[in-house]
Amino acid sequence: MTSEEVFLAQLRLQDAVWVTVQSHRGSVPREAGAWMVVFSQNQVGTIGGGHLEWQALREARDRLAGQLGEPTRRFALGPSLGQCCGGEVVLGFEHVSAADISRLQAWFSQARLGLAPVALFGGGHVGRALAQLLASLPVKLRRV
């Protein structure tokens, strides 16, 4: 099951906050379009890890708890966040629910058109582990 499918299946059961990298400048962990979805107890996807992701998780869960916030927020990835990247990232925060599933499916279909293709050869235990890992990343996986 891809990360998109996991996200949409769980969204049928509970609301979430969809966090996307809207833009970036300089050295950053992930490119524009990277996403993660934050539920009250877990997350699907990643925006790059580290303190940036921790801050985004906290902000998303605050929003799920009813706190208001701007739809985007800028993060400088330097000393203030303790990340050595040094660039800056603008993250988008959007509350999503089961009512948004068809719109999100269309977004994923469009986004998939521009994904980097990855061909994985072999079906052993290493290949299966790699396929699971690659399914959580923004790539178009082709198993050969």
Side-chain angles (χ1 to χ4, degrees), residues 51-127:
H51 200 69
L52 170 67
E53 189 157 301
W54 185 85
Q55 288 284 339
L57 285 166
R58 190 179 81 194
E59 173 123 357
R61 290 202 171 107
D62 287 347
R63 291 173 187 232
L64 282 172
Q67 291 185 16
L68 300 177
E70 295 295 320
T72 61
R73 183 165 171 213
R74 180 189 158 276
F75 292 87
L77 304 180
S80 64
L81 271 183
Q83 290 199 225
C84 60
C85 300
E88 83 178 25
V89 174
V90 175
L91 297 181
F93 293 85
E94 179 183 357
H95 190 263
V96 291
S97 68
D100 297 301
I101 288 175
S102 61
R103 177 178 62 87
L104 293 168
Q105 286 172 322
W107 186 90
F108 284 125
S109 293
Q110 278 296 106
R112 236 180 267 113
L113 296 175
L115 295 179
V118 174
L120 179 61
F121 295 84
H125 69 283
V126 173

Side-chain angles (χ1 to χ4, degrees), residues 26-27 29 35 37-38 44 48 56 65 87-88 97 99 106 116 120 142-143:
S27 179
W35 60 272
V37 180
V38 182
V44 176
E88 83 178 25
S97 68
L120 179 61
R142 179 171 172 225
R143 297 172 196 178

Side-chain angles (χ1 to χ4, degrees), residues 6 10 13-17 37-44 57-58 60-62 64-65:
V6 170
Q10 191 165 353
L13 304 174
Q14 63 179 299
D15 290 2
V17 172
V37 180
V38 182
F39 295 94
S40 61
Q41 298 296 316
N42 66 324
Q43 78 184 64
V44 176
L57 285 166
R58 190 179 81 194
R61 290 202 171 107
D62 287 347
L64 282 172

